[in-house]
């Protein structure tokens, strides 16, 4: 059995998808949740859970340790590695990289390169600026190295023309529903597996934190055509490989604007398990083989998940941990005694239904139940 190491802030979804697709998974993440350790044959830490940030030294030590085994086929970097290009490069020298090359990650996350390519290809996107606009109302300041919405905030009060900090960009806030398209790319083109509605909520002083998603969802045929075409041309322009997602805002009139590309396995992969997403990722990266051509058809069923964030500082009692573990719809399960600060992710809930509306309702109910 081929052994894959899957790494990220949280590796549970990638590990479960890898095992379902016939791999043995070794998980590297911050949390070491109960279900992550139950799924993976081994777990290695990438840093402290409360930091919500991958530690460079921990990551490289873990990859060197796995390289010494001699039986791990490679490692897949996931969420949290967007700004760690040097780590991906050095880690790839120890253990084969199954994902996008460091230079690809760097270009996709360089605001000058990324938005220049969007403009050249005619991909619609909100107005952006490298210096502070004269009128800051309605503008955001975004760190292109971050993920999960934690890196997006209202533009702070500064003088007009003030340069954005390194790796940051000013972006006009766009109206509409936050969406994503899940794709697999081979370095030249992309195959979109489906579309997802993202769940965004305020956490602490961050107004637009990613809190989950529902997919696949139905979108208008013209949107399918345009977004699929955009994903494919962007895959060619940046040399994208494997799983990724194109985040965009969708307006009621069908107009859409691209926000960013996530050049790694996205959180939405759990909505596409029937497409064997981790196997597709490996084949696309190593063999240049994509899933069958053609736009995604009408969804027959929707799935989703939502993150439960701590509303206050707490220590998880034994009874509470047992109650979470006893539910069939809870995931990313913390161990008894785990401590959380306000705003920390505690666990997640999932749901499935006939359509997006039903799944949203089920997630809301489960979220409220677990939060209480």
């Amino acid at each position: 059995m081929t052994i894959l190491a899957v790494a990220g802030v949280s590796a549970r979804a990638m590990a479960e998808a890898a095992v379902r697709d016939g791999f043995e998974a070794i998980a590297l993440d911050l949390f070491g949740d109960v279900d992550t350790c139950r799924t993976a044959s081994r777990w290695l830490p990438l840093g402290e859970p409360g930091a919500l940030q991958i530690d460079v030294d921990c990551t490289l030590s873990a990859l060197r340790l796995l390289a010494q085994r001699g039986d791990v086929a490679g490692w897949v970097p996931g969420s949290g590695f967007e700004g760690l290009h040097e780590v991906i490069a050095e880690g790839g020298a120890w253990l084969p990289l199954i994902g996008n090359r460091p230079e690809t990650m760097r270009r996709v996350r360089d605001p000058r390169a990324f938005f220049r390519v969007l403009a050249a290809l005619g991909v619609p996107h909100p107005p952006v600026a490298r210096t502070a606009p004269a009128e800051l109302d309605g503008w955001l300041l975004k760190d292109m190295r971050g993920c999960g919405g934690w890196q997006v905030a209202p533009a702070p009060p500064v003088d007009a023309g003030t340069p954005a900090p390194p790796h940051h960009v000013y972006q006009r806030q766009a109206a509409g529903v936050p969406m994503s398209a899940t794709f697999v790319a081979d370095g030249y083109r992309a195959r979109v597996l489906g579309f997802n509605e993202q769940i965004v909520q305020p956490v602490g002083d961050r107004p637009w934190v990613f809190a989950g998603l529902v997919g696949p969802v139905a979108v208008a045929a013209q949107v399918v055509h345009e977004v699929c075409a955009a994903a494919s041309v962007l895959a060619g322009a940046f040399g994208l490989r494997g799983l990724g997602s194109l985040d965009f805002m969708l307006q009621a009139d069908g107009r859409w604007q691209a926000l960013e590309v996530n050049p790694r396995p996205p959180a939405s992969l759990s909505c596409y398990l029937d497409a064997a997403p981790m196997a597709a990722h490996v084949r696309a990266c190593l063999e240049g083989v994509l899933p069958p051509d053609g736009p995604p058809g009408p969804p027959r069923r929707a799935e989703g998940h939502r993150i439960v964030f701590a509303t206050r500082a707490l220590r998880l009692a034994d009874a509470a941990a047992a109650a979470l573990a006893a539910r069939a719809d809870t995931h990313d399960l913390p161990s008894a005694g785990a401590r959380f600060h306000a705003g920390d992710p505690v666990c997640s809930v999932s749901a499935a239904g006939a359509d997006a509306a039903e799944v949203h309702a089920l997630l809301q109910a489960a979220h409220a139940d677990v939060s209480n």
Side-chain angles (χ1 to χ4, degrees):
M1 181 179 293
T2 302
I3 303 174
L4 290 183
V6 292
V9 170
S10 173
R12 190 266 310 167
M14 286 195 295
E16 290 182 348
V19 170
R20 179 181 170 115
D21 290 352
F23 299 101
E24 178 183 333
I26 298 175
L28 296 77
D29 72 7
L30 299 182
F31 304 106
D33 291 324
V34 172
D35 40 351
T36 302
C37 294
R38 184 171 59 224
T39 300
S41 60
R42 185 174 184 182
W43 172 77
L44 294 170
L46 295 186
E48 294 297 324
L52 292 180
Q53 188 172 3
I54 291 171
D55 181 86
V56 171
D57 291 336
C58 281
T59 301
L60 294 177
S61 294
L63 294 175
R64 284 194 292 267
L65 182 65
L66 294 180
Q68 292 169 5
R69 290 176 42 139
D71 60 351
V72 180
W75 72 290
V76 180
S79 173
F81 283 94
E82 289 82 358
L84 300 180
H85 316 130
E86 293 79 8
V87 176
I88 293 175
E90 187 171 346
W94 286 101
L95 199 65
L97 172 67
I98 305 178
N100 282 295
R101 295 185 293 267
E103 56 269 29
T104 299
M105 301 284 286
R106 186 179 293 110
R107 286 188 66 219
V108 171
R109 290 296 174 165
D110 180 339
R112 291 166 296 184
F114 181 70
F115 290 106
R116 188 184 301 126
V117 169
L118 291 191
L121 295 176
V123 177
H125 62 86
V128 295
R130 292 288 297 147
T131 60
E135 176 54 60
L136 289 169
D137 186 42
W139 283 82
L140 311 173
L141 183 62
K142 182 176 182 178
D143 184 351
M144 293 289 286
R145 298 169 302 174
C147 65
W150 298 97
Q151 79 281 20
V152 183
V158 295
D159 294 336
T162 300
H167 309 291
H168 287 65
V169 66
Y170 289 98
Q171 187 175 60
R172 170 75 76 175
Q173 187 172 355
V177 177
M179 304 280 294
S180 68
T182 305
F183 64 77
V184 183
D186 64 358
Y188 304 96
R189 58 200 175 103
R191 163 79 163 92
V192 171
L193 301 180
F195 296 85
N196 320 287
E197 293 179 1
Q198 297 190 346
I199 302 170
V200 176
Q201 71 175 62
V203 177
D205 61 352
R206 296 294 172 171
W208 302 288
V209 173
F210 173 81
L213 53 78
V214 174
V217 301
V219 297
Q222 186 64 26
V223 176
V224 172
H225 173 75
E226 292 176 2
V227 174
C228 286
S232 205
V233 297
L234 289 173
F238 288 105
L240 298 173
R241 291 182 178 273
L243 283 164
S245 67
L246 169 60
D247 291 356
F248 62 97
M249 297 295 291
L250 179 61
Q251 299 178 16
D253 61 5
R255 289 183 294 174
W256 63 278
Q257 293 183 304
L259 299 178
E260 65 183 21
V261 168
N262 295 302
R264 41 77 178 166
S268 55
L269 71 86
S270 60
C271 296
Y272 299 93
L273 295 182
D274 288 347
M278 290 303 293
H281 177 80
V282 172
R283 293 193 70 194
C285 290
L286 301 185
E287 303 172 28
V289 175
L290 289 181
D293 287 333
R300 293 173 295 177
R301 188 169 176 79
E303 300 183 23
H305 67 268
R306 183 169 178 180
I307 301 170
V308 179
F309 295 96
T311 57
R312 65 186 188 283
L314 61 90
R315 176 186 178 278
L316 194 67
D318 292 359
L324 289 177
R327 295 178 59 113
D329 61 350
T330 53
H331 312 276
D332 306 303
L333 298 169
S335 300
R339 294 183 180 275
F340 302 93
H341 298 290
D344 286 350
V346 175
C347 65
S348 64
V349 294
S350 67
D355 55 29
E358 181 181 357
V359 174
H360 276 294
L362 291 170
L363 288 176
Q364 184 174 351
H367 182 274
D369 192 26
V370 169
S371 299
N372 292 332

